[in-house]
Amino acid sequence: MTDDIGKNFLAVNKRIAQACEASGRELWPQLLAVSKKHGTDKIKQLLQLGQQAFGESYVQEGVQKVEALKNLDITWHFIGPIQSNKTKLIAENFAWVQSVDRMKVLSRLNDQRPAKLPPLNVLLQLKVGDESTKSGASQEALLAMVVALRTMKNIHFRGLMCIPPPSVDSTVQKSYFSEVLALYKQLQSTEPQVDTLSMGMSGDLEAAIQMGSTMVRVGTDLFGQRPG
Ligand SMILES: *Cc1c(COP(=O)(O)O)cnc(C)c1O
């Protein structure tokens, strides 16, 4: 087990390196280790190997891990669907939230971010690939949130996140990512602090890196299949 995580970590970093080289990129995307449904022992193993950012998708499970590992130097990202009655727990426990897709959730996070903590880093999730995707904001709704963000003092707006429908065809993957890249570039011209484009998972990180991703979120290929 221990060996697997070490090997997986090397293999994922190698894929990232090769994808960067293939697309002529010098700057590597950040790697977010998606630890949902995996235990804290595995998180500690990866932390020892130098991985520092971890992502969780379920509020209760995520908060338990944040609590259990609070003495360790981990940056926690919330990346799952957000019910509005869970925003307080998220605002109190995470450094980043990547899955904000509606105004109500955004303004609750701003109101509920504790004053003693630094502003909450937020990515807005753009809906891509209509039919099969449940979560994410339309471009229009997202732009309305961008305007609102300009006056939200407890939130640091950092950029965009997307979860395209799964596809094994890299041409299809790239067409989804290029939509998101276009909006990201547009935002950077009016919101100078925007610096994060979170796209790419185990199955499509090469395509995402080619299309300008600055953060890939990898679960399965680091930790193995999720139990349950
Ligand atoms: C689970 C999850 C991931 C990781 O997916 P893998 O295919 O296991 O790499 C990435 N992003 C989000 C939002 C997720 O929910």
Side-chain angles (χ1 to χ4, degrees):
M1 275 312 234
T2 317
D3 276 354
D4 280 351
I5 289 215
K7 278 189 201 143
N8 291 349
F9 186 61
L10 281 179
V12 167
N13 277 293
K14 193 167 170 191
R15 278 174 69 192
I16 292 172
Q18 283 170 342
C20 287
E21 197 179 325
S23 43
R25 283 183 56 164
E26 280 173 19
L27 210 59
W28 279 37
Q30 195 190 338
L31 173 60
L32 180 72
V34 178
S35 45
K36 64 182 182 217
K37 304 238 178 127
H38 294 288
T40 52
D41 50 334
K42 290 187 177 179
I43 295 175
K44 286 186 196 157
Q45 281 176 34
L46 265 191
L47 187 68
Q48 285 193 334
L49 296 171
Q51 177 63 31
Q52 201 267 332
F54 289 84
E56 289 287 332
S57 299
Y58 307 102
V59 177
Q60 203 177 334
E61 177 192 337
V63 169
Q64 274 171 11
K65 290 178 190 168
V66 171
E67 262 304 300
L69 302 176
K70 66 172 173 237
N71 297 323
L72 302 176
D73 182 25
I74 293 177
T75 302
W76 291 102
H77 293 235
F78 189 78
I79 62 173
I82 305 176
Q83 291 172 284
S84 51
N85 63 353
K86 297 284 169 59
T87 49
K88 186 157 185 282
L89 275 174
I90 296 172
E92 288 172 348
N93 286 283
F94 288 82
W96 287 69
V97 184
Q98 301 202 4
S99 43
V100 176
D101 66 357
R102 58 195 195 280
M103 191 77 84
K104 183 178 180 188
V105 162
L106 184 63
S107 63
R108 287 174 67 94
L109 290 171
N110 183 53
D111 292 343
Q112 294 167 337
R113 180 66 169 175
K116 63 176 196 304
L117 295 179
L120 183 63
N121 295 290
V122 160
L123 302 181
L124 298 178
Q125 184 180 347
L126 179 67
K127 186 186 183 87
V128 279
D130 293 322
E131 332 82 46
S132 49
T133 344
K134 300 172 300 269
S135 49
S138 67
Q139 186 150 327
E140 197 182 10
L142 192 147
L143 290 172
M145 288 191 276
V146 171
V147 172
L149 276 162
R150 291 178 188 149
T151 56
M152 290 188 179
K153 297 254 177 323
N154 302 319
I155 289 184
H156 185 188
F157 175 44
R158 302 294 294 267
L160 299 178
M161 187 272 265
C162 69
I163 313 173
S167 166
V168 290
D169 181 340
S170 69
T171 309
V172 174
Q173 294 171 355
K174 279 186 259 176
S175 74
Y176 290 134
F177 292 139
S178 74
E179 274 178 51
V180 191
L181 178 63
L183 181 61
Y184 177 70
K185 284 185 174 160
Q186 180 189 324
L187 286 179
Q188 282 190 311
S189 66
T190 58
E191 321 300 313
Q193 79 282 18
V194 161
D195 60 3
T196 306
L197 180 56
S198 171
M199 55 187 199
M201 321 201 317
S202 294
D204 56 13
L205 69 86
E206 283 83 2
I209 288 171
Q210 198 177 335
M211 301 312 295
S213 170
T214 73
M215 189 186 297
V216 292
R217 310 178 308 269
V218 179
T220 308
D221 285 1
L222 280 176
F223 292 100
Q225 289 294 333
R226 283 179 283 278

